[in-house]
């Protein structure tokens, strides 16, 4: 059962800033891309309107540690590992690796905690259990150990 | 009756790109800021849910001509002129001026055409007349003549 | 010789807005993606630092006409046609087509005019001829006729 | 001496996503806005080219915890507290409060760790001490205690 997912993308010009590197906020957009691709790989969309009531997965925590920059036209591998599954929440570890001539080099590492929510009778959103068909497909894996940094 | 509106804002770091200037797509975000501020100045929000049915104002055309760049921390004046009002559509001229030590200098000029839409009985969106209370407050003004460019 | 280029991408969640559709400014980011891919397909990067002096291609005009929205997870084909080549400027026509079950459907159409610039002796940027090795690879094609709109 | 800084801004339409709320990555753009405003309030720009060598302040860590959403046209107060100052690094706590009819309500809380870097003789970037004129103006304050969450 899948507990990991990887996408590759090329850095766009519009994602850089005047320092010549990918703006740090865009790593959070990249995290979302791999997260949604992961759900799609399981046969689900993050927009879960086929469940009743429809559920969503807002973030309650997002973080990223950066040690090398990404630049325009760099190819980057974004690797998601589902490292914790609770009744109503998932924790993803996200690893960013720049594709180099002879392999990859880790440049940043992030974490996302998402909560499953649905609209309650009073119209507000509240945490609910992850739908059972989705939960059944989610298996956790070990987090990667902290990177060795030179 | 108001037919013009101006906002000032400072260029954010995240709006620049690796060329050291504001990314061209962000001028379209600036256009929207002044457009929405204009509607608010009339007592309306662009999210018109107090009308029945609720109406929205998607763009059918957006354009911009650029002749000078904007840079980080530049202060920019964004000036909207409502230059055409039809039953179901509005045309805005948008002028971008960099604030300099002794005045302003025009750096770009844009145009937005927005159409008033509402959800139809079959669930799709279609053009509808601008609500009469809003239309009554909208008065057109002359477009600025083309800028002289050195 | 290449005068057209096409990329496909899937709409990201972060590209949508509260109207549930791709924010209109993001079509300009998509245009840049296909433009840069086009240059890469010719063996060039938009960051032309191997020329002396290094050249860049800022926009002097960008426009888009929209007739159908794009939504989250839609697959979109972005098709560039180089329709005009001058000594110092290029004009690209950009066609956006949503991939549907049995083909594609045009949803928007844009235009970009870019000028080749280099740093002048006084430090300012000015228009210069497109480098000859690049110009030699650029061949124009006919623009598509205006779309038929129902 | 200043160790705190606050800005207010209104949520823009382009900052929302199809869930109808501010996209989580935009909180990181907001953090940067208050961070740069803080430096400006001290008489510095984040682009420190008046120092020799010029220094910059890339992030090595960014995080945010979210408990309530922000929506279009909400007014939000973004409050920075400098909570740690090292020779080469600063830690900022960032508090997001939605402005309500009768006060404010905390909706999210973030942290940024930035490192002072300059270009080294070999062309690469490396951590350097924060310039003394800037360091002299920076005084730390206590972090806010964790929010009480209902």
């Amino acid at each position: 059962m899948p507990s990991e997912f990887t996408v590759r993308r090329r850095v766009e010009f519009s994602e850089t800033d005047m320092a010549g590197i990918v703006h740090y906020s865009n790593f959070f957009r990249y995290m979302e891309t791999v997260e949604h691709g992961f759900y799609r790989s399981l046969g689900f969309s993050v927009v879960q309107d086929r469940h009743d009531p429809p559920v969503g997965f807002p973030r309650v925590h997002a973080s990223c540690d950066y040690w090398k920059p990404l630049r325009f036209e760099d190819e980057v591998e974004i690797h998601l590992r589902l490292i914790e599954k609770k009744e109503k929440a998932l924790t993803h570890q996200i690893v960013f690796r720049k594709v180099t001539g002879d392999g990859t080099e880790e440049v940043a590492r992030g974490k996302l905690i998402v909560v499953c929510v649905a609209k309650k009778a009073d119209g507000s959103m509240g945490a609910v259990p992850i739908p059972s068909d989705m939960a059944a497909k989610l298996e956790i894996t070990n987090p990667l150990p902290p990177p060795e940094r030179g």
Side-chain angles (χ1 to χ4, degrees), chain A:
Chain A
M1 291 223 231
S3 55
E4 298 185 41
F5 192 70
T6 301
V7 296
R8 280 197 178 197
R9 73 194 310 290
R10 191 184 291 278
V11 171
E12 310 269 0
F13 194 88
S14 65
E15 294 166 349
T16 63
D17 62 30
M18 63 181 285
I21 63 179
V22 172
H23 191 261
Y24 83 111
S25 68
N26 286 325
F27 285 75
F28 293 94
R29 297 182 185 264
Y30 293 174
M31 287 189 209
E32 190 176 68
T33 299
V34 71
E35 182 198 1
H36 291 179
F38 172 64
Y39 299 142
R40 270 196 300 274
S41 76
L42 301 176
F44 295 97
S45 170
V46 72
V47 181
Q48 296 288 356
D49 50 11
R50 66 174 169 176
H51 291 99
D52 183 23
V55 299
F57 290 89
R59 283 92 186 133
V60 294
H61 174 81
S63 61
C64 194
D65 292 285
Y66 309 86
W67 42 91
K68 301 239 181 184
L70 288 173
R71 295 178 193 281
F72 177 55
E73 294 189 337
D74 279 351
E75 200 177 358
V76 56
E77 188 181 282
I78 312 160
H79 173 64
L80 174 146
R81 301 170 72 85
L82 173 59
I83 58 170
E84 191 173 76
K85 178 173 78 160
K86 294 187 174 172
E87 189 197 8
K88 301 176 179 178
L90 301 173
T91 301
H92 301 295
Q93 185 185 51
I94 320 261
V95 181
F96 297 86
R97 297 185 183 97
K98 185 167 97 171
V99 179
T100 59
D102 54 356
T104 63
E105 176 187 24
E106 187 170 343
V107 296
R109 191 176 293 189
K111 190 166 75 167
L112 283 182
I113 307 177
V114 303
V115 170
C116 187
V117 301
K119 198 171 279 191
K120 294 186 290 186
D122 68 357
S124 71
M125 302 297 280
V128 297
I130 297 167
S132 55
D133 56 341
M134 188 172 182
K137 290 197 177 175
L138 296 166
E139 191 166 295
I140 64 169
T141 188
N142 288 328
L144 291 184
E148 293 176 38
R149 294 165 60 174

